[in-house]
Amino acid sequence: MPTDHIPTDLEHLYDGSLGFQPPRLYANFVSSLDGVVALEGQEHSSKMISGRSEADRFVMGLLRAFADAVLIGAGTFRAAPDSLWTPTDIYPDGAASFAELRGRLGRSTEPRLVLITSRGEVDPHHPALESGALVLTSSLGASALRNRLPRASTVVAIGTSPTMDPVGVIHTLRSEGHQIVLSEGGPTLIGGLLQAELLHELFLTLSPILAGRSGRSRRPGLVEGAELLPGRSIAAELLSIRTHGSHLFLRYAIPQLKEKGD
């Protein structure tokens, strides 16, 4: 993997180098110690789960800075009504170094935000849409969004089914020239990418925070909407472990899914 483009100060903060060989689809999540990645009904719940870790925000910014595009689902989009999903949005102190990295990589100023919404049920006045995004949806969603989005954003219908096809999503991104793609979820999107054998890597921040579950609200884990065991299993390969305080920063390679008994 190419690692010679990362500026020295970013390499120092990350405690090592980093790079991605295209085409590459990688995901980034923060999880509580007891496996919760989102709190239903809470805006910016990932901040609560991470304990507002500055190190986690740095890693998020760094991973965004490497990407051609940042891919999110509608649930993630609605839960962050003021986010832009850019490197400096999450870690402003790294603005100059992130810009230098993207320049060295030959990237545009910011990664393109790509929003998946099957029915088009999103706020057209969200600041991320005002800044510009690629919205991938069904024909039904495209009809719902027609003439409602800011001019900076583009709507592309990639099918008639209300269930978005992950293969079609990634094919569309590749055709748009996006070879290095970061997915920031949510867990249903990651489930679909895993089932379709599209995800190459997972960056997982394990927070020391305990979230708990009572059944009164939905508190999903990393993968939702896809049952892997017992029929299929994934044994991710641990590539690196970093620590900051009591937080663990884990990087995994994701192999092909395997049928039980293989």
Side-chain angles (χ1 to χ4, degrees):
M1 295 181 184
T3 59
D4 57 336
H5 295 295
I6 185 169
T8 302
D9 58 335
L10 295 180
E11 185 173 4
H12 175 73
L13 286 172
Y14 188 62
D15 192 26
S17 199
L18 185 65
F20 300 95
Q21 184 67 45
R24 209 72 179 167
L25 173 61
Y26 55 104
N28 183 40
F29 271 88
V30 60
S31 170
S32 70
L33 194 58
D34 52 338
V36 174
V37 301
L39 308 175
E40 186 178 59
Q42 292 284 340
E43 293 183 357
H44 299 293
S45 64
S46 62
K47 293 181 180 179
M48 300 174 66
I49 291 170
S50 75
R52 301 187 181 276
S53 165
E54 181 178 0
D56 181 58
R57 288 187 283 109
F58 165 71
V59 171
M60 291 175 70
L62 181 62
L63 293 177
R64 290 176 183 179
F66 271 99
D68 294 319
V70 177
L71 177 66
I72 62 171
T76 300
F77 183 80
R78 286 190 289 267
D82 55 357
S83 292
L84 298 177
W85 288 277
T86 65
T88 54
D89 180 46
I90 193 66
Y91 193 74
D93 288 349
S97 298
F98 292 151
E100 180 183 350
L101 172 60
R102 294 190 66 78
R104 292 184 182 187
L105 293 169
R107 303 278 193 269
S108 58
T109 304
E110 303 286 4
R112 193 174 193 186
L113 177 64
V114 181
L115 169 62
I116 300 177
T117 170
S118 59
R119 294 179 173 82
E121 296 172 348
V122 296
D123 178 9
H125 304 295
H126 194 294
L129 295 178
E130 296 282 354
S131 296
L134 175 62
V135 181
L136 302 183
T137 186
S138 64
S139 55
L140 176 66
S143 178
L145 291 171
R146 185 174 295 119
N147 300 322
R148 296 183 61 223
L149 295 187
R151 291 184 178 180
S153 291
T154 303
V155 177
V156 175
I158 59 174
T160 58
S161 172
T163 302
M164 300 296 291
D165 174 23
V167 175
V169 168
I170 299 305
H171 176 77
T172 300
L173 293 187
R174 300 287 185 239
S175 68
E176 292 275 334
H178 303 315
Q179 296 299 308
I180 305 293
V181 178
L182 165 64
S183 175
E184 292 192 6
T188 301
L189 173 57
I190 293 301
L193 295 174
L194 284 169
Q195 277 199 318
E197 302 183 26
L198 295 168
L199 190 66
H200 298 111
E201 293 188 40
L202 169 66
F203 289 79
L204 179 64
T205 299
L206 186 60
S207 168
I209 299 293
L210 289 161
R213 292 183 175 92
S214 69
R216 290 195 300 268
S217 62
R218 184 169 175 265
R219 297 191 166 189
L222 178 66
V223 179
E224 294 288 322
E227 289 190 0
L228 303 176
L229 291 176
R232 294 185 290 180
S233 66
I234 293 178
E237 176 188 355
L238 182 62
L239 299 179
S240 66
I241 303 175
R242 288 172 168 79
T243 64
H244 187 272
S246 295
H247 286 71
L248 295 179
F249 295 85
L250 310 173
R251 182 184 185 183
Y252 291 96
I254 305 297
Q256 295 273 308
L257 293 180
K258 294 182 179 180
E259 297 298 328
K260 184 179 179 181
D262 284 357

